[in-house]
Amino acid sequence: MNRPVLLVIAHGSRDPRHAATVQALVRRAGALRPGLRVETAFLDFNLPSVAGVLDRLAADGVRDVVALPLLLTRAFHAKADVPAVLRQAPPSLRIHQAEVLGPSPLLIAAVERRLYEAGLTPGDKSATGVVLASAGSTDPEAIAVIAETARELRRTGWCSVRPAFASASLPRTEDAVRALRAEPGVRRVAVAPYVIAPGRLPDRIAAGAAGADVLAGVLGPSPELASLLLERYDGARVARRQVARTA
């Protein structure tokens, strides 16, 4: 039985580092599942477009596609933009939309990996406060997921964890850094970008981290994130929720 194609849908950015990081992540996921056809598409700014890849898949005779939004929360892009473009797919394609990446213990593990790569150790946890800095959203569901992710990260042993946002929501990264400095027991402050790839908003997070002791890297093509892509792919295959088409 032929496996559905995995189509990873990223937002896109004018920053060339964004597309390069997304492609590296997708290649890593594909290497974990030999024989699985994996494609990448972007909603905006970068090529190939989602519509272009779907047309190419249909021309190749593909019948089943799992579309995976490369998003950490179910905010506007996941609820509106991605379903809208998938509804316009060629009628010969059966499209199954996977869940967004978060929340997941694998994302917590990826955040910690980046903190350790930035110089921290598990022994530093009890005296280190962490700012979990995301891009931001006006969607209450997305904000609630970020807050819960911060609580889950705190439960792994960090002295304190505060969420922060680069846009649309408060507090900003620099405000969370100052708040952690004032907390008892916090001897150092680290900023962990809760974003997948570099770009304008991650750069804003980095600028806000000027007062921190440690700035971790973006999640990028971490092994945990690559494994999570396949986990969401497998979940969509089991659920078999087909995208409803326009009449």
Side-chain angles (χ1 to χ4, degrees):
M1 180 179 177
N2 290 331
R3 287 181 287 187
V5 171
L6 170 57
L7 173 59
V8 179
I9 302 175
H11 180 269
S13 170
R14 292 185 178 91
D15 189 321
R17 297 173 298 167
H18 175 90
T21 301
V22 169
Q23 296 286 8
L25 171 60
V26 173
R27 284 195 301 271
R28 187 161 202 167
L32 294 175
R33 190 72 60 88
L36 173 64
R37 181 172 176 178
V38 184
E39 299 279 351
T40 309
F42 298 90
L43 289 171
D44 204 356
F45 302 118
N46 302 106
L47 293 174
S49 67
V50 179
V53 173
L54 291 172
D55 287 344
R56 175 159 51 81
L57 291 175
D60 288 348
V62 171
R63 290 293 174 263
D64 287 283
V65 176
V66 169
L68 170 58
L70 196 65
L71 302 167
L72 297 175
T73 62
R74 287 192 73 253
F76 182 80
H77 294 306
K79 293 177 178 178
D81 289 344
V82 172
V85 72
L86 293 178
R87 283 194 294 268
Q88 304 304 316
S92 62
L93 293 176
R94 290 185 292 266
I95 309 289
H96 306 273
Q97 184 173 334
E99 297 292 342
V100 297
L101 300 180
S104 169
L106 286 169
L107 289 171
I108 299 293
V111 168
E112 291 201 300
R113 171 185 291 275
R114 295 307 188 217
L115 286 167
Y116 297 150
E117 289 173 350
L120 296 173
T121 70
D124 295 324
K125 281 187 169 186
S126 63
T128 302
V130 177
V131 177
L132 187 71
S134 73
S137 174
T138 58
D139 188 300
E141 179 184 350
I143 297 301
V145 168
I146 298 298
E148 178 57 29
T149 301
R151 288 190 289 270
E152 288 296 325
L153 183 61
R154 168 67 181 82
R155 292 184 187 111
T156 69
W158 299 96
C159 182
S160 181
V161 179
R162 287 177 175 260
F165 307 93
S167 69
S169 311
L170 295 174
R172 295 289 183 255
T173 302
E174 54 269 32
D175 299 325
V177 169
R178 283 193 293 268
L180 282 174
R181 289 281 186 211
E183 285 195 26
V186 174
R187 294 202 293 270
R188 71 182 63 80
V189 175
V191 173
Y194 192 61
V195 293
I196 294 172
R200 178 177 57 88
L201 293 180
D203 283 349
R204 191 177 296 174
I205 290 170
D213 303 294
V214 174
L215 172 62
V218 299
L219 300 178
S222 65
E224 295 85 2
L225 209 56
S227 295
L228 183 54
L229 263 60
L230 297 178
E231 185 176 292
R232 292 292 185 255
Y233 169 80
D234 292 336
R237 290 183 66 192
V238 171
R240 304 191 73 81
R241 289 186 297 269
Q242 193 166 337
V243 173
R245 304 303 181 90
T246 55

